[in-house]
C-alpha cells in the first residue's frame, strides 16, 4: 500500500494538542478590521479547538499528525 499524503494546506492550519485535540486559529482577522470592535478582534486572536463534527474528516487528511 502506498504512503498516505498529508494535505499541506491543512497541515499549516492545524496543530495537535497534548491530549490529541486539534487546535486552529479563528477566521475573519485578516482585513476589513475598521468596522470590527476591539473586543471582537481581541477574541479572534485566541486559538480555538476544532469542532467534534469535523475531527473525523481532519484526521483523514492529516494522517501523520
Amino acid at each position: 500500500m502506498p504512503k498516505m499524503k498529508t494535505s499541506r494546506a491543512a497541515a499549516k492550519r492545524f496543530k495537535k494538542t497534548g491530549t490529541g485535540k486539534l487546535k486552529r486559529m479563528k477566521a475573519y482577522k485578516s482585513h476589513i478590521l475598521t468596522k470590527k470592535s476591539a473586543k471582537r478582534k481581541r477574541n479572534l486572536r485566541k486559538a480555538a479547538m476544532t469542532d467534534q463534527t469535523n475531527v473525523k474528516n481532519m484526521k483523514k487528511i492529516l494522517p501523520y499528525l
Side-chain angles (χ1 to χ4, degrees):
M1 182 143 178
K3 288 188 219 175
M4 294 174 72
K5 283 199 172 182
T6 297
S7 166
R8 298 313 297 161
K12 292 166 188 171
R13 288 168 172 81
F14 296 91
K15 297 281 176 260
K16 198 173 188 182
T17 63
T19 55
K21 294 179 182 175
L22 291 175
K23 188 169 74 167
R24 64 173 177 84
M25 289 310 289
K26 293 179 183 174
Y28 309 111
K29 185 64 172 63
S30 56
H31 61 104
I32 315 175
L33 298 172
T34 51
K35 63 174 80 168
K36 293 170 188 158
S37 68
K39 180 182 178 181
R40 185 171 163 195
K41 288 186 279 191
R42 187 166 58 246
N43 286 328
L44 289 172
R45 271 185 230 149
K46 300 171 187 169
M49 293 300 147
T50 304
D51 195 68
Q52 283 301 313
T53 55
N54 298 322
V55 168
K56 188 178 170 187
N57 289 332
M58 297 312 305
K59 298 264 170 138
K60 199 177 286 184
I61 63 173
L62 296 164
Y64 302 107
L65 192 66

